[in-house]
Amino acid sequence: MKLWSLKNKYILVVDDFAGMRTMLRNMLLPYRPEHIAEAASGEEALKAIQDYDFDIILCDYNLGPGKDGQQILEEIKERELLPYSSIYIMTTAENTSEMVMGAVEYSPDDYLSKPFTNEVLISRLKKLLKRKSSLKKISVATRQRDYESAISFCDDQLSGTPNNRFELLKIKTELLLRINDYDAVEKLVKPILEEREIPWALLYLGQTYYYREQYDDAKFIFEGLIENYPNYLFAHDWLAKLHRTNQNYAEAQNILEKAAIKSPKAIKRQQVLAEVSFENEDYDTSEKSYKRVTRTGKNSYYLSPDDYSGLAEVYLKKEMVSDALNIISDMRKEFSDADPLKNMKSHINEAFLYNDLQRKKETNDRIDKIMTIFLEDPGTVTSVDSIELAKLCYTHNRNDDGNKFIQYAIKNNHDNQETIDEIISTLTNTGFSNKDINALLKSRDEVIEINNHGVKLATTGKIGESISLFVEAATAMPENHVINLNTAQSLIMYMNKSGATEELMGETKKYLDKVKFTGKPSEKYKILTTSWQNLSETLG
């Protein structure tokens, strides 16, 4: 009889106590895993997870200062760093309702109460690995955003009698929602619900109705979920979202408040509650929610400069100017060492807050700071923010700076007519003539010219020159999907000819990851990700 083993499995053990890490390592070693890595903090764990694909992650809930186990799980799910085939087990010595609800919400595959025995750990791993063993192909396709192939892999397994049938059905439904195929979602989940009433199937059907603007049908499902499964808090979120869409802010606030009491550590829900209560002009509740976010979300991936500026806006509404100024200062300190995007966002929010306070000098000082960073690193400003910054610049008679932001937005969205129309409307409302607007819109022609030149270089054998041109263009236009795809294509062409390296593979993946889709990925994206995967396999 073949002995059970962890052969070929990569395992990460996360615990702030060295003794616990050693104990877990000793429990696992007899089963001969390929590799066991260790992390003593949330930050170390995230770096390891970014660098390697682990089959099993054993993570303590309380990791001391810094991120806890729930915040790690939140982040790796949000950033799609946890494949369907990987196992995440939370270990904990705590059993508070706050911890349990938080763990349930973010759905680790299991959680173990300390102390636990070797037999318990191995028993759970055997069960989970058996369930997850068939999900590898689905995981790889999903990571490449080849959702149609991932759905096809689900269908291949569902055609038999898999022991993880409902898990496969849930994954398939999630993938269909990603590509906005709402008719297919409805067709899939209705027979499931006839067989068995499952909360996730009801929730996804409600989401389908919401996206198709069948609001009464969606409301009926979400309300039924809340009544029958009161601790299934995602239903609260979606019912609140529906009410907010219909501008029923008081109803949305009431629903979110009830959910927040049950699971107070859910930062995203607290953020939405803060926003909704502000829209409902309940500034006391908004203040309380923003304070909770900025206090308990210190180490959360979701914490944003918007949370601080939102609190400052509350104080301005309550005519508490000195408190608003203090929060502006706190925001600056909190994000001074953050990643460049969050650091820039704090400067942007600060500029708008000073503008609201009618402090012209401070507003212009912030715009100066923003311009300095922007000219050195354009990728720190999103297209959405660049349009708003342009409006602010025009208000302060800084038309040259405003035009730079507008041209940046145009170049990043040269083939997105909806954004172009928004830009034209902004310029028209600002008082620009048609002649001046058309002069700014010529930025689109520059993008087309650069792109065509880069493609010509690549197709005539000058791949190195093509890469240089496209990399420079992608730096200046980090959100332009056409430029990012062609940058990745040039790098792949070079590697197909000269051989792949880890550095070039990483660069290529960076440009592919910049490309965003609201539905099905483009055929070109699919072809390039397949080529990238093939090259990856040559590197082992």
Side-chain angles (χ1 to χ4, degrees), residues 27-42:
M27 284 183 178
L28 297 165
L29 276 175
Y31 301 94
R32 299 181 180 179
E34 187 71 24
H35 180 67
I36 300 177
E38 296 182 15
S41 68

Side-chain angles (χ1 to χ4, degrees), residues 289-298 303 307-308 311:
S289 299
Y290 275 126
K291 279 183 173 179
R292 180 179 284 276
V293 171
T294 56
R295 185 176 66 253
T296 63
K298 282 285 183 187
L303 186 66
D307 299 314
Y308 286 81
L311 181 54

